[in-house]
PDB file of all heavy atoms in Angstrom:
ATOM      1  N   ALA Y  91    -306.398  93.074-191.450  1.00  0.00           N
ATOM      2  CA  ALA Y  91    -305.967  94.100-190.495  1.00  0.00           C
ATOM      3  C   ALA Y  91    -306.001  95.487-191.116  1.00  0.00           C
ATOM      4  O   ALA Y  91    -306.399  96.467-190.478  1.00  0.00           O
ATOM      5  CB  ALA Y  91    -304.551  93.780-189.999  1.00  0.00           C
ATOM      6  N   TYR Y  92    -305.604  95.579-192.399  1.00  0.00           N
ATOM      7  CA  TYR Y  92    -305.625  96.877-193.087  1.00  0.00           C
ATOM      8  C   TYR Y  92    -307.042  97.435-193.160  1.00  0.00           C
ATOM      9  O   TYR Y  92    -307.272  98.619-192.880  1.00  0.00           O
ATOM     10  CB  TYR Y  92    -305.043  96.716-194.493  1.00  0.00           C
ATOM     11  CG  TYR Y  92    -305.136  97.970-195.332  1.00  0.00           C
ATOM     12  CD1 TYR Y  92    -304.181  98.972-195.222  1.00  0.00           C
ATOM     13  CD2 TYR Y  92    -306.181  98.146-196.240  1.00  0.00           C
ATOM     14  CE1 TYR Y  92    -304.265 100.130-195.984  1.00  0.00           C
ATOM     15  CE2 TYR Y  92    -306.275  99.295-197.008  1.00  0.00           C
ATOM     16  CZ  TYR Y  92    -305.319 100.285-196.884  1.00  0.00           C
ATOM     17  OH  TYR Y  92    -305.409 101.424-197.634  1.00  0.00           O
ATOM     18  N   HIS Y  93    -307.989  96.573-193.526  1.00  0.00           N
ATOM     19  CA  HIS Y  93    -309.372  97.051-193.652  1.00  0.00           C
ATOM     20  C   HIS Y  93    -310.000  97.358-192.293  1.00  0.00           C
ATOM     21  O   HIS Y  93    -310.878  98.225-192.190  1.00  0.00           O
ATOM     22  CB  HIS Y  93    -310.215  96.026-194.418  1.00  0.00           C
ATOM     23  CG  HIS Y  93    -309.918  95.992-195.883  1.00  0.00           C
ATOM     24  ND1 HIS Y  93    -310.271  97.001-196.744  1.00  0.00           N
ATOM     25  CD2 HIS Y  93    -309.268  95.065-196.640  1.00  0.00           C
ATOM     26  CE1 HIS Y  93    -309.876  96.711-197.969  1.00  0.00           C
ATOM     27  NE2 HIS Y  93    -309.253  95.525-197.943  1.00  0.00           N
ATOM     28  N   LEU Y  94    -309.540  96.641-191.266  1.00  0.00           N
ATOM     29  CA  LEU Y  94    -310.092  96.901-189.933  1.00  0.00           C
ATOM     30  C   LEU Y  94    -309.432  98.100-189.255  1.00  0.00           C
ATOM     31  O   LEU Y  94    -309.977  98.663-188.303  1.00  0.00           O
ATOM     32  CB  LEU Y  94    -309.924  95.659-189.046  1.00  0.00           C
ATOM     33  CG  LEU Y  94    -310.762  94.431-189.427  1.00  0.00           C
ATOM     34  CD1 LEU Y  94    -310.440  93.275-188.486  1.00  0.00           C
ATOM     35  CD2 LEU Y  94    -312.256  94.762-189.381  1.00  0.00           C
ATOM     36  N   THR Y  95    -308.252  98.498-189.749  1.00  0.00           N
ATOM     37  CA  THR Y  95    -307.523  99.618-189.131  1.00  0.00           C
ATOM     38  C   THR Y  95    -308.200 100.933-189.464  1.00  0.00           C
ATOM     39  O   THR Y  95    -308.517 101.222-190.626  1.00  0.00           O
ATOM     40  CB  THR Y  95    -306.058  99.652-189.621  1.00  0.00           C
ATOM     41  OG1 THR Y  95    -305.404  98.463-189.191  1.00  0.00           O
ATOM     42  CG2 THR Y  95    -305.331 100.860-189.061  1.00  0.00           C
ATOM     43  N   LYS Y  96    -308.411 101.723-188.450  1.00  0.00           N
ATOM     44  CA  LYS Y  96    -308.974 103.054-188.633  1.00  0.00           C
ATOM     45  C   LYS Y  96    -307.913 104.094-188.298  1.00  0.00           C
ATOM     46  O   LYS Y  96    -307.118 103.912-187.382  1.00  0.00           O
ATOM     47  CB  LYS Y  96    -310.193 103.256-187.738  1.00  0.00           C
ATOM     48  CG  LYS Y  96    -311.375 102.367-188.095  1.00  0.00           C
ATOM     49  CD  LYS Y  96    -312.566 102.663-187.201  1.00  0.00           C
ATOM     50  CE  LYS Y  96    -313.760 101.792-187.579  1.00  0.00           C
ATOM     51  NZ  LYS Y  96    -314.934 102.065-186.704  1.00  0.00           N
ATOM     52  N   ILE Y  97    -307.915 105.169-189.044  1.00  0.00           N
ATOM     53  CA  ILE Y  97    -306.980 106.260-188.751  1.00  0.00           C
ATOM     54  C   ILE Y  97    -307.497 107.010-187.537  1.00  0.00           C
ATOM     55  O   ILE Y  97    -308.580 107.606-187.579  1.00  0.00           O
ATOM     56  CB  ILE Y  97    -306.852 107.209-189.957  1.00  0.00           C
ATOM     57  CG1 ILE Y  97    -306.309 106.443-191.164  1.00  0.00           C
ATOM     58  CG2 ILE Y  97    -305.942 108.387-189.608  1.00  0.00           C
ATOM     59  CD1 ILE Y  97    -306.257 107.264-192.436  1.00  0.00           C
ATOM     60  N   PRO Y  98    -306.777 106.960-186.424  1.00  0.00           N
ATOM     61  CA  PRO Y  98    -307.290 107.595-185.206  1.00  0.00           C
ATOM     62  C   PRO Y  98    -307.240 109.118-185.275  1.00  0.00           C
ATOM     63  O   PRO Y  98    -306.531 109.694-186.107  1.00  0.00           O
ATOM     64  CB  PRO Y  98    -306.340 107.072-184.119  1.00  0.00           C
ATOM     65  CG  PRO Y  98    -305.073 106.765-184.846  1.00  0.00           C
ATOM     66  CD  PRO Y  98    -305.481 106.314-186.222  1.00  0.00           C
ATOM     67  N   GLU Y  99    -308.009 109.727-184.397  1.00  0.00           N
ATOM     68  CA  GLU Y  99    -307.962 111.184-184.281  1.00  0.00           C
ATOM     69  C   GLU Y  99    -306.658 111.586-183.596  1.00  0.00           C
ATOM     70  O   GLU Y  99    -306.103 110.827-182.801  1.00  0.00           O
ATOM     71  CB  GLU Y  99    -309.157 111.690-183.463  1.00  0.00           C
ATOM     72  CG  GLU Y  99    -310.492 111.505-184.142  1.00  0.00           C
ATOM     73  CD  GLU Y  99    -310.604 112.312-185.421  1.00  0.00           C
ATOM     74  OE1 GLU Y  99    -310.128 113.468-185.443  1.00  0.00           O
ATOM     75  OE2 GLU Y  99    -311.144 111.780-186.410  1.00  0.00           O
ATOM     76  N   PRO Y 100    -306.161 112.777-183.880  1.00  0.00           N
ATOM     77  CA  PRO Y 100    -304.926 113.233-183.212  1.00  0.00           C
ATOM     78  C   PRO Y 100    -305.100 113.286-181.702  1.00  0.00           C
ATOM     79  O   PRO Y 100    -306.211 113.461-181.195  1.00  0.00           O
ATOM     80  CB  PRO Y 100    -304.712 114.642-183.791  1.00  0.00           C
ATOM     81  CG  PRO Y 100    -305.444 114.636-185.097  1.00  0.00           C
ATOM     82  CD  PRO Y 100    -306.633 113.745-184.879  1.00  0.00           C
ATOM     83  N   HIS Y 101    -303.987 113.105-180.985  1.00  0.00           N
ATOM     84  CA  HIS Y 101    -304.022 113.219-179.535  1.00  0.00           C
ATOM     85  C   HIS Y 101    -304.540 114.598-179.135  1.00  0.00           C
ATOM     86  O   HIS Y 101    -304.282 115.587-179.827  1.00  0.00           O
ATOM     87  CB  HIS Y 101    -302.622 113.046-178.947  1.00  0.00           C
ATOM     88  CG  HIS Y 101    -302.032 111.697-179.187  1.00  0.00           C
ATOM     89  ND1 HIS Y 101    -302.712 110.534-178.942  1.00  0.00           N
ATOM     90  CD2 HIS Y 101    -300.818 111.322-179.661  1.00  0.00           C
ATOM     91  CE1 HIS Y 101    -301.944 109.504-179.246  1.00  0.00           C
ATOM     92  NE2 HIS Y 101    -300.791 109.951-179.692  1.00  0.00           N
ATOM     93  N   PRO Y 102    -305.240 114.687-178.003  1.00  0.00           N
ATOM     94  CA  PRO Y 102    -305.711 116.005-177.550  1.00  0.00           C
ATOM     95  C   PRO Y 102    -304.581 117.017-177.423  1.00  0.00           C
ATOM     96  O   PRO Y 102    -304.748 118.186-177.760  1.00  0.00           O
ATOM     97  CB  PRO Y 102    -306.347 115.697-176.187  1.00  0.00           C
ATOM     98  CG  PRO Y 102    -306.751 114.257-176.278  1.00  0.00           C
ATOM     99  CD  PRO Y 102    -305.708 113.606-177.132  1.00  0.00           C
ATOM    100  N   GLU Y 103    -303.407 116.559-176.951  1.00  0.00           N
ATOM    101  CA  GLU Y 103    -302.310 117.514-176.772  1.00  0.00           C
ATOM    102  C   GLU Y 103    -301.776 118.039-178.101  1.00  0.00           C
ATOM    103  O   GLU Y 103    -301.272 119.154-178.175  1.00  0.00           O
ATOM    104  CB  GLU Y 103    -301.164 116.901-175.960  1.00  0.00           C
ATOM    105  CG  GLU Y 103    -300.591 115.623-176.523  1.00  0.00           C
ATOM    106  CD  GLU Y 103    -301.247 114.389-175.952  1.00  0.00           C
ATOM    107  OE1 GLU Y 103    -302.433 114.475-175.556  1.00  0.00           O
ATOM    108  OE2 GLU Y 103    -300.593 113.337-175.913  1.00  0.00           O
ATOM    109  N   THR Y 104    -301.899 117.210-179.174  1.00  0.00           N
ATOM    110  CA  THR Y 104    -301.443 117.710-180.463  1.00  0.00           C
ATOM    111  C   THR Y 104    -302.461 118.655-181.082  1.00  0.00           C
ATOM    112  O   THR Y 104    -302.137 119.388-182.021  1.00  0.00           O
ATOM    113  CB  THR Y 104    -301.167 116.558-181.438  1.00  0.00           C
ATOM    114  OG1 THR Y 104    -302.380 115.829-181.671  1.00  0.00           O
ATOM    115  CG2 THR Y 104    -300.119 115.617-180.884  1.00  0.00           C
ATOM    116  N   ALA Y 105    -303.685 118.628-180.573  1.00  0.00           N
ATOM    117  CA  ALA Y 105    -304.687 119.568-181.054  1.00  0.00           C
ATOM    118  C   ALA Y 105    -304.605 120.891-180.305  1.00  0.00           C
ATOM    119  O   ALA Y 105    -305.141 121.902-180.746  1.00  0.00           O
ATOM    120  CB  ALA Y 105    -306.083 118.969-180.902  1.00  0.00           C
ATOM    121  N   MET Y 106    -303.933 120.863-179.151  1.00  0.00           N
ATOM    122  CA  MET Y 106    -303.789 122.091-178.377  1.00  0.00           C
ATOM    123  C   MET Y 106    -302.794 123.030-179.048  1.00  0.00           C
ATOM    124  O   MET Y 106    -301.802 122.598-179.617  1.00  0.00           O
ATOM    125  CB  MET Y 106    -303.303 121.785-176.957  1.00  0.00           C
ATOM    126  CG  MET Y 106    -304.301 121.079-176.085  1.00  0.00           C
ATOM    127  SD  MET Y 106    -303.615 120.806-174.427  1.00  0.00           S
ATOM    128  CE  MET Y 106    -304.949 119.860-173.690  1.00  0.00           C
ATOM    129  N   GLN Y 107    -303.080 124.303-178.947  1.00  0.00           N
ATOM    130  CA  GLN Y 107    -302.191 125.299-179.490  1.00  0.00           C
ATOM    131  C   GLN Y 107    -302.055 126.438-178.482  1.00  0.00           C
ATOM    132  O   GLN Y 107    -302.893 126.605-177.605  1.00  0.00           O
ATOM    133  CB  GLN Y 107    -302.731 125.857-180.810  1.00  0.00           C
ATOM    134  CG  GLN Y 107    -302.984 124.811-181.882  1.00  0.00           C
ATOM    135  CD  GLN Y 107    -303.483 125.438-183.154  1.00  0.00           C
ATOM    136  OE1 GLN Y 107    -302.805 126.255-183.760  1.00  0.00           O
ATOM    137  NE2 GLN Y 107    -304.681 125.056-183.581  1.00  0.00           N
ATOM    138  N   SER Y 108    -301.017 127.200-178.630  1.00  0.00           N
ATOM    139  CA  SER Y 108    -300.871 128.386-177.797  1.00  0.00           C
ATOM    140  C   SER Y 108    -301.313 129.600-178.592  1.00  0.00           C
ATOM    141  O   SER Y 108    -301.380 129.573-179.819  1.00  0.00           O
ATOM    142  CB  SER Y 108    -299.418 128.561-177.346  1.00  0.00           C
ATOM    143  OG  SER Y 108    -298.582 128.759-178.469  1.00  0.00           O
ATOM    144  N   THR Y 109    -301.623 130.657-177.886  1.00  0.00           N
ATOM    145  CA  THR Y 109    -301.943 131.932-178.533  1.00  0.00           C
ATOM    146  C   THR Y 109    -300.742 132.849-178.392  1.00  0.00           C
ATOM    147  O   THR Y 109    -300.202 133.014-177.300  1.00  0.00           O
ATOM    148  CB  THR Y 109    -303.202 132.554-177.909  1.00  0.00           C
ATOM    149  OG1 THR Y 109    -304.350 131.816-178.353  1.00  0.00           O
ATOM    150  CG2 THR Y 109    -303.362 133.997-178.328  1.00  0.00           C
ATOM    151  N   VAL Y 110    -300.341 133.414-179.504  1.00  0.00           N
ATOM    152  CA  VAL Y 110    -299.149 134.261-179.542  1.00  0.00           C
ATOM    153  C   VAL Y 110    -299.563 135.724-179.624  1.00  0.00           C
ATOM    154  O   VAL Y 110    -300.501 136.078-180.344  1.00  0.00           O
ATOM    155  CB  VAL Y 110    -298.262 133.885-180.743  1.00  0.00           C
ATOM    156  CG1 VAL Y 110    -297.156 134.895-180.955  1.00  0.00           C
ATOM    157  CG2 VAL Y 110    -297.676 132.493-180.539  1.00  0.00           C
ATOM    158  N   PHE Y 111    -298.838 136.537-178.883  1.00  0.00           N
ATOM    159  CA  PHE Y 111    -299.076 137.982-178.878  1.00  0.00           C
ATOM    160  C   PHE Y 111    -297.881 138.674-179.525  1.00  0.00           C
ATOM    161  O   PHE Y 111    -296.724 138.373-179.197  1.00  0.00           O
ATOM    162  CB  PHE Y 111    -299.270 138.493-177.453  1.00  0.00           C
ATOM    163  CG  PHE Y 111    -300.475 137.922-176.765  1.00  0.00           C
ATOM    164  CD1 PHE Y 111    -300.430 136.670-176.165  1.00  0.00           C
ATOM    165  CD2 PHE Y 111    -301.681 138.627-176.719  1.00  0.00           C
ATOM    166  CE1 PHE Y 111    -301.536 136.130-175.532  1.00  0.00           C
ATOM    167  CE2 PHE Y 111    -302.796 138.094-176.091  1.00  0.00           C
ATOM    168  CZ  PHE Y 111    -302.725 136.833-175.496  1.00  0.00           C
ATOM    169  N   VAL Y 112    -298.164 139.573-180.442  1.00  0.00           N
ATOM    170  CA  VAL Y 112    -297.112 140.359-181.089  1.00  0.00           C
ATOM    171  C   VAL Y 112    -297.443 141.833-180.929  1.00  0.00           C
ATOM    172  O   VAL Y 112    -298.589 142.205-180.643  1.00  0.00           O
ATOM    173  CB  VAL Y 112    -296.975 140.003-182.586  1.00  0.00           C
ATOM    174  CG1 VAL Y 112    -296.614 138.537-182.760  1.00  0.00           C
ATOM    175  CG2 VAL Y 112    -298.259 140.321-183.347  1.00  0.00           C
ATOM    176  N   ASP Y 113    -296.431 142.688-181.101  1.00  0.00           N
ATOM    177  CA  ASP Y 113    -296.686 144.121-180.943  1.00  0.00           C
ATOM    178  C   ASP Y 113    -297.197 144.705-182.258  1.00  0.00           C
ATOM    179  O   ASP Y 113    -297.455 143.981-183.231  1.00  0.00           O
ATOM    180  CB  ASP Y 113    -295.439 144.837-180.415  1.00  0.00           C
ATOM    181  CG  ASP Y 113    -294.421 145.144-181.490  1.00  0.00           C
ATOM    182  OD1 ASP Y 113    -294.477 144.538-182.584  1.00  0.00           O
ATOM    183  OD2 ASP Y 113    -293.547 146.007-181.248  1.00  0.00           O
ATOM    184  N   ASP Y 114    -297.326 146.015-182.308  1.00  0.00           N
ATOM    185  CA  ASP Y 114    -297.906 146.669-183.473  1.00  0.00           C
ATOM    186  C   ASP Y 114    -297.061 146.490-184.729  1.00  0.00           C
ATOM    187  O   ASP Y 114    -297.570 146.600-185.841  1.00  0.00           O
ATOM    188  CB  ASP Y 114    -298.077 148.174-183.170  1.00  0.00           C
ATOM    189  CG  ASP Y 114    -298.824 148.894-184.267  1.00  0.00           C
ATOM    190  OD1 ASP Y 114    -299.902 148.427-184.658  1.00  0.00           O
ATOM    191  OD2 ASP Y 114    -298.317 149.934-184.752  1.00  0.00           O
ATOM    192  N   HIS Y 115    -295.778 146.189-184.546  1.00  0.00           N
ATOM    193  CA  HIS Y 115    -294.895 145.975-185.690  1.00  0.00           C
ATOM    194  C   HIS Y 115    -294.759 144.493-186.032  1.00  0.00           C
ATOM    195  O   HIS Y 115    -294.026 144.142-186.953  1.00  0.00           O
ATOM    196  CB  HIS Y 115    -293.510 146.552-185.390  1.00  0.00           C
ATOM    197  CG  HIS Y 115    -293.527 148.015-185.065  1.00  0.00           C
ATOM    198  ND1 HIS Y 115    -293.611 148.998-186.025  1.00  0.00           N
ATOM    199  CD2 HIS Y 115    -293.494 148.663-183.873  1.00  0.00           C
ATOM    200  CE1 HIS Y 115    -293.614 150.180-185.447  1.00  0.00           C
ATOM    201  NE2 HIS Y 115    -293.548 150.006-184.148  1.00  0.00           N
ATOM    202  N   GLY Y 116    -295.414 143.610-185.264  1.00  0.00           N
ATOM    203  CA  GLY Y 116    -295.305 142.186-185.508  1.00  0.00           C
ATOM    204  C   GLY Y 116    -294.210 141.509-184.722  1.00  0.00           C
ATOM    205  O   GLY Y 116    -293.973 140.313-184.893  1.00  0.00           O
ATOM    206  N   ASP Y 117    -293.512 142.241-183.862  1.00  0.00           N
ATOM    207  CA  ASP Y 117    -292.454 141.649-183.047  1.00  0.00           C
ATOM    208  C   ASP Y 117    -293.053 140.811-181.927  1.00  0.00           C
ATOM    209  O   ASP Y 117    -294.050 141.191-181.306  1.00  0.00           O
ATOM    210  CB  ASP Y 117    -291.558 142.737-182.447  1.00  0.00           C
ATOM    211  CG  ASP Y 117    -290.765 143.477-183.516  1.00  0.00           C
ATOM    212  OD1 ASP Y 117    -290.473 142.861-184.557  1.00  0.00           O
ATOM    213  OD2 ASP Y 117    -290.453 144.667-183.316  1.00  0.00           O
ATOM    214  N   TYR Y 118    -292.411 139.678-181.671  1.00  0.00           N
ATOM    215  CA  TYR Y 118    -292.923 138.717-180.689  1.00  0.00           C
ATOM    216  C   TYR Y 118    -292.948 139.320-179.290  1.00  0.00           C
ATOM    217  O   TYR Y 118    -291.958 139.851-178.801  1.00  0.00           O
ATOM    218  CB  TYR Y 118    -292.042 137.470-180.696  1.00  0.00           C
ATOM    219  CG  TYR Y 118    -292.477 136.377-179.748  1.00  0.00           C
ATOM    220  CD1 TYR Y 118    -293.589 135.593-180.030  1.00  0.00           C
ATOM    221  CD2 TYR Y 118    -291.772 136.135-178.578  1.00  0.00           C
ATOM    222  CE1 TYR Y 118    -293.976 134.575-179.172  1.00  0.00           C
ATOM    223  CE2 TYR Y 118    -292.150 135.118-177.716  1.00  0.00           C
ATOM    224  CZ  TYR Y 118    -293.259 134.345-178.015  1.00  0.00           C
ATOM    225  OH  TYR Y 118    -293.648 133.343-177.152  1.00  0.00           O
ATOM    226  N   LEU Y 119    -294.108 139.212-178.653  1.00  0.00           N
ATOM    227  CA  LEU Y 119    -294.290 139.749-177.307  1.00  0.00           C
ATOM    228  C   LEU Y 119    -294.320 138.633-176.269  1.00  0.00           C
ATOM    229  O   LEU Y 119    -293.710 138.727-175.210  1.00  0.00           O
ATOM    230  CB  LEU Y 119    -295.585 140.565-177.264  1.00  0.00           C
ATOM    231  CG  LEU Y 119    -295.974 141.217-175.940  1.00  0.00           C
ATOM    232  CD1 LEU Y 119    -294.913 142.217-175.502  1.00  0.00           C
ATOM    233  CD2 LEU Y 119    -297.316 141.931-176.080  1.00  0.00           C
ATOM    234  N   GLY Y 120    -295.028 137.564-176.556  1.00  0.00           N
ATOM    235  CA  GLY Y 120    -295.132 136.449-175.616  1.00  0.00           C
ATOM    236  C   GLY Y 120    -296.267 135.531-176.038  1.00  0.00           C
ATOM    237  O   GLY Y 120    -296.880 135.709-177.086  1.00  0.00           O
ATOM    238  N   ARG Y 121    -296.543 134.535-175.215  1.00  0.00           N
ATOM    239  CA  ARG Y 121    -297.591 133.575-175.549  1.00  0.00           C
ATOM    240  C   ARG Y 121    -298.335 133.154-174.304  1.00  0.00           C
ATOM    241  O   ARG Y 121    -297.860 133.308-173.187  1.00  0.00           O
ATOM    242  CB  ARG Y 121    -297.006 132.343-176.238  1.00  0.00           C
ATOM    243  CG  ARG Y 121    -296.231 131.430-175.312  1.00  0.00           C
ATOM    244  CD  ARG Y 121    -295.797 130.137-175.990  1.00  0.00           C
ATOM    245  NE  ARG Y 121    -295.101 129.248-175.068  1.00  0.00           N
ATOM    246  CZ  ARG Y 121    -295.703 128.336-174.319  1.00  0.00           C
ATOM    247  NH1 ARG Y 121    -297.011 128.187-174.391  1.00  0.00           N
ATOM    248  NH2 ARG Y 121    -295.011 127.571-173.497  1.00  0.00           N
ATOM    249  N   ARG Y 122    -299.486 132.580-174.515  1.00  0.00           N
ATOM    250  CA  ARG Y 122    -300.283 131.958-173.465  1.00  0.00           C
ATOM    251  C   ARG Y 122    -300.769 130.612-173.985  1.00  0.00           C
ATOM    252  O   ARG Y 122    -301.154 130.492-175.138  1.00  0.00           O
ATOM    253  CB  ARG Y 122    -301.494 132.831-173.102  1.00  0.00           C
ATOM    254  CG  ARG Y 122    -301.156 134.104-172.337  1.00  0.00           C
ATOM    255  CD  ARG Y 122    -300.897 133.805-170.869  1.00  0.00           C
ATOM    256  NE  ARG Y 122    -300.359 134.937-170.150  1.00  0.00           N
ATOM    257  CZ  ARG Y 122    -301.094 135.896-169.581  1.00  0.00           C
ATOM    258  NH1 ARG Y 122    -302.412 135.865-169.698  1.00  0.00           N
ATOM    259  NH2 ARG Y 122    -300.524 136.876-168.928  1.00  0.00           N
ATOM    260  N   GLY Y 123    -300.748 129.605-173.121  1.00  0.00           N
ATOM    261  CA  GLY Y 123    -301.252 128.300-173.524  1.00  0.00           C
ATOM    262  C   GLY Y 123    -300.411 127.181-172.966  1.00  0.00           C
ATOM    263  O   GLY Y 123    -299.253 127.380-172.583  1.00  0.00           O
ATOM    264  N   PRO Y 124    -300.977 125.949-172.932  1.00  0.00           N
ATOM    265  CA  PRO Y 124    -300.275 124.808-172.346  1.00  0.00           C
ATOM    266  C   PRO Y 124    -299.178 124.251-173.230  1.00  0.00           C
ATOM    267  O   PRO Y 124    -298.255 123.613-172.758  1.00  0.00           O
ATOM    268  CB  PRO Y 124    -301.394 123.778-172.160  1.00  0.00           C
ATOM    269  CG  PRO Y 124    -302.379 124.111-173.239  1.00  0.00           C
ATOM    270  CD  PRO Y 124    -302.334 125.603-173.383  1.00  0.00           C
ATOM    271  N   VAL Y 125    -299.276 124.458-174.538  1.00  0.00           N
ATOM    272  CA  VAL Y 125    -298.309 123.904-175.484  1.00  0.00           C
ATOM    273  C   VAL Y 125    -297.880 125.025-176.419  1.00  0.00           C
ATOM    274  O   VAL Y 125    -298.713 125.761-176.944  1.00  0.00           O
ATOM    275  CB  VAL Y 125    -298.927 122.754-176.314  1.00  0.00           C
ATOM    276  CG1 VAL Y 125    -297.927 122.227-177.330  1.00  0.00           C
ATOM    277  CG2 VAL Y 125    -299.401 121.637-175.396  1.00  0.00           C
ATOM    278  N   ASP Y 126    -296.575 125.127-176.631  1.00  0.00           N
ATOM    279  CA  ASP Y 126    -296.075 126.164-177.533  1.00  0.00           C
ATOM    280  C   ASP Y 126    -296.181 125.669-178.964  1.00  0.00           C
ATOM    281  O   ASP Y 126    -295.220 125.201-179.567  1.00  0.00           O
ATOM    282  CB  ASP Y 126    -294.617 126.505-177.177  1.00  0.00           C
ATOM    283  CG  ASP Y 126    -294.131 127.744-177.919  1.00  0.00           C
ATOM    284  OD1 ASP Y 126    -294.934 128.336-178.676  1.00  0.00           O
ATOM    285  OD2 ASP Y 126    -292.963 128.122-177.742  1.00  0.00           O
TER     286      ASP Y 126
END
Side-chain angles (χ1 to χ4, degrees):
Y92 175 83
H93 287 289
L94 292 178
T95 296
K96 294 182 179 180
I97 299 175
E99 292 296 320
H101 296 311
E103 56 267 28
T104 62
M106 291 181 184
Q107 303 181 61
S108 63
T109 286
V110 170
F111 297 82
V112 299
D113 81 342
D114 187 51
H115 302 281
D117 293 331
Y118 181 74
L119 180 61
R121 72 174 182 90
R122 288 281 170 86
V125 178
D126 190 1

